Amino acid sequence: MDRPNPGGERDVIDFVSSITDTARQRIEENLPHGFVRLKVAEAERRQAQHDIRSVEDIVTELVRNSRDAGAARVLVAFQKEQGRYRRITVLDDGCGIPADMHNLVFQPRVTSKRDDFEEDRYGVHGRGMALFSIRSRAQGASIVSSAPGSGTAITLTVDTEKVPERSDQATVPLLEAVDGVDGVGVGPGPHNVMRVLLEMSVDSPGVEFYLGSFAEVLATVMKLGISPGGGSKNEIWSNAVGITDARALAEASTSELGLPVSERNAYRVLGGEVTALQTVFSLAKTGGAVTGRGDIRGADERPVTRETSRKKASARSPLKRLGAADIDEIAEGASEVVKRVLGRYFLKTAGVARVRRGRGRIMISFYVTGEDGEEQ
């Protein structure tokens, strides 16, 4: 005859208890017909999952906060590491956040909009859920530095296998003529981070938006800080602007601005080897990427309509004939050339070349790292 197994019974009891305890933490009340009333914390957690579904959503919420803080300039540092982790830092010269609020602003329902909320093309803003949602979905979201009247630097890392992003982050969407006061809107192009910032630029013409790598944003900060009327001693980047030593600049960039650059890249910034960024709107404007509005279109461009765009796309169709073997051949040849040239500067490629066909163009992209493994 089998003996009783009290240990097995205990395991079953513990298992059932763990399930019921988890449910008890999530559910405030069981209702008829299988309905439940969730606890506030669980409802907030689920809302956070809904609000932030992509890297583009994260950038949208962060730059909306900068815009609402009265910023005139918003710089987004955007860099991929290990082909998976997207590091994001947003700098602005807005009204800033008091030190004792740096952690509290990440809690749910905490907002500076005391009396009302706002609504724009992205939906309702001002519920006090944006930063809570971002921290729930990202890794290590924190305010690096901020104080009243000094602007804000906020940084975070996103695992793109859990929170995806658009595969094409390099293409600038087109501007096009639309009905309205300013007569300009965002037209064709990928729905990437660049589009988010371009839409913000169109909707908020008094705000300048920039997008680039950590080193490029640092170079832009240095330029903004020394240009006539471009800087203020109260801005969070004013200390970095006065630094002339590469090591000290790299340390200040990391600790004060949330822009982790190597000493070598800081040296390149000081030497003018890293070019300051143009605004996102300027990139779209000077690239001739405007349809039907001559005073914004590139000077060497003729007016372009949707009909002529379709005809041009049709004329470019021969690229569709390229097969997989052709693409592999292009990737292999490009890799050899790029590796040889980068080697002269102690740089190297990471991973394989990516070859894509566009409208009348072939796009080849690589991840590039330096001696210290930092992506360029």
Side-chain angles (χ1 to χ4, degrees), residues 47 176 188 312 331 372:
Q47 181 174 331
E176 64 179 3
K312 287 184 178 181
D372 51 8

Side-chain angles (χ1 to χ4, degrees), residues 149-295:
S150 298
T152 298
I154 183 170
T155 188
L156 55 95
T157 301
V158 183
D159 183 348
T160 58
E161 291 189 2
K162 297 179 180 178
V163 183
E165 65 179 8
R166 294 283 177 169
S167 59
D168 182 3
Q169 293 293 345
T171 301
V172 183
L174 299 174
L175 289 172
E176 64 179 3
V178 297
D179 294 333
V181 176
D182 297 318
V184 182
V186 183
H191 289 260
N192 53 13
V193 167
M194 189 70 78
R195 172 178 286 273
V196 171
L197 300 183
L198 188 55
E199 288 174 343
M200 288 283 180
S201 300
V202 170
D203 295 344
S204 307
V207 186
E208 296 178 346
F209 294 92
Y210 301 83
L211 177 65
S213 68
F214 292 140
E216 289 171 330
V217 169
L218 178 59
T220 307
V221 162
M222 302 290 280
K223 180 180 179 180
L224 290 174
I226 63 176
S227 62
S232 165
K233 65 180 181 180
N234 292 325
E235 292 168 356
I236 58 174
W237 53 71
S238 60
N239 180 50
V241 169
I243 297 176
T244 57
D245 176 75
R247 177 175 296 179
L249 179 59
E251 292 175 353
S253 178
T254 301
S255 62
E256 299 176 19
L257 303 179
L259 301 173
V261 299
S262 64
E263 183 177 342
R264 179 175 60 85
N265 274 344
Y267 182 83
R268 293 173 60 218
V269 169
L270 290 172
E273 296 179 37
V274 181
T275 305
L277 297 163
Q278 297 182 60
T279 66
V280 169
F281 189 82
S282 294
L283 284 174
K285 177 180 175 181
T286 59
V290 179
T291 59
R293 188 173 170 85
D295 57 334

Side-chain angles (χ1 to χ4, degrees), residues 285-307:
K285 177 180 175 181
T286 59
V290 179
T291 59
R293 188 173 170 85
D295 57 334
I296 296 180
R297 187 179 63 251
D300 58 343
E301 293 287 326
R302 293 176 296 172
V304 181
T305 65
R306 293 188 182 277
E307 180 62 27

Side-chain angles (χ1 to χ4, degrees), residues 119-158:
E119 188 169 1
D120 57 17
R121 72 165 76 209
Y122 302 104
V124 173
H125 191 52
R127 299 169 300 162
M129 295 298 293
L131 291 179
F132 169 74
S133 299
I134 288 171
R135 178 173 274 185
S136 298
R137 299 287 275 155
Q139 301 174 355
S142 63
I143 293 175
V144 180
S145 59
S146 186
S150 298
T152 298
I154 183 170
T155 188
L156 55 95
T157 301
V158 183

Side-chain angles (χ1 to χ4, degrees), residues 27-44:
I27 298 171
E28 180 176 300
E29 181 182 2
N30 288 300
L31 302 173
H33 310 293
F35 286 82
V36 298
R37 178 178 287 110
L38 295 175
K39 289 189 174 181
V40 172
E42 175 64 12
E44 290 167 344

